[in-house]
Amino acid sequence: MIDPICWCGGKVSGNVCLASRFHDPERRTNTREPRVLYLSGPMTGYPECNYPLFHAEAATLRSHGYVVHNPAETGDMGSQYTDLLRKDIRTILDCEGVATLEGWWSSKGAQIEITVAGAIGLPVRPVHEWVHRATLVDPTTGR
């Protein structure tokens, strides 16, 4: 049997990447569950730049108590790609985690965003996992 491999190349035990601390807050020294998330996913080549999905998933996350930085709310479809990506990377630096949309792995921009998040130690999970975790956390303590 082949050992499972994380997208970052690290070995996986259970659902935790052993090479990187940023995939699971339990492996971090900070025990408070992240509440400020950056939403990352594919835009280029999608109808309306995939904004409808970004807006729907941001609303779902917010309904579960997260503060969400949604690039579809701050982006300008007429702006230069590089300028938008620079702004998104600066935003990620102020977040506590990244919520991914389906298909992020096929987006050059989302790959860059997630790589940056991983490099600074942020947990990265699909939206549905953040939603599930929100149901397990006491909102008064964040634990």
Side-chain angles (χ1 to χ4, degrees):
M1 182 167 135
I2 298 173
D3 288 332
I5 301 294
C6 178
W7 64 266
C8 75
K11 289 185 179 181
V12 174
S13 175
N15 288 325
V16 178
C17 175
L18 299 177
S20 306
R21 295 179 309 147
F22 56 88
H23 298 140
D24 197 324
E26 278 85 23
R27 294 183 54 85
R28 299 172 68 188
T29 56
N30 177 5
T31 59
R32 186 179 64 80
E33 182 73 9
R35 302 310 296 169
V36 181
L37 303 177
Y38 180 83
L39 190 57
S40 181
M43 290 183 170
T44 303
Y46 284 75
E48 298 179 65
C49 290
N50 211 16
Y51 282 14
L53 180 61
F54 273 82
H55 295 316
E57 296 292 39
T60 297
L61 289 165
R62 289 177 179 137
S63 74
H64 285 84
Y66 292 105
V67 173
V68 179
H69 292 275
N70 176 2
E73 294 170 349
T74 59
D76 174 4
M77 286 190 251
S79 295
Q80 292 292 320
Y81 175 82
T82 303
D83 295 332
L84 292 170
L85 190 56
R86 282 186 183 120
K87 184 170 73 168
D88 294 343
I89 290 170
R90 283 191 292 271
T91 301
I92 290 167
L93 298 175
D94 293 326
C95 292
E96 298 172 345
V98 174
T100 59
L101 299 177
E102 185 70 23
W104 72 264
W105 53 86
S106 64
S107 164
K108 182 173 79 170
Q111 288 177 11
I112 292 167
E113 293 165 352
I114 290 167
T115 299
V116 168
I120 62 171
L122 300 181
V124 177
R125 293 192 184 89
V127 169
H128 68 88
E129 287 186 27
W130 288 107
V131 168
H132 174 70
R133 292 182 74 84
T135 66
L136 305 174
V137 174
D138 178 345
T140 60
T141 65
R143 297 169 194 240

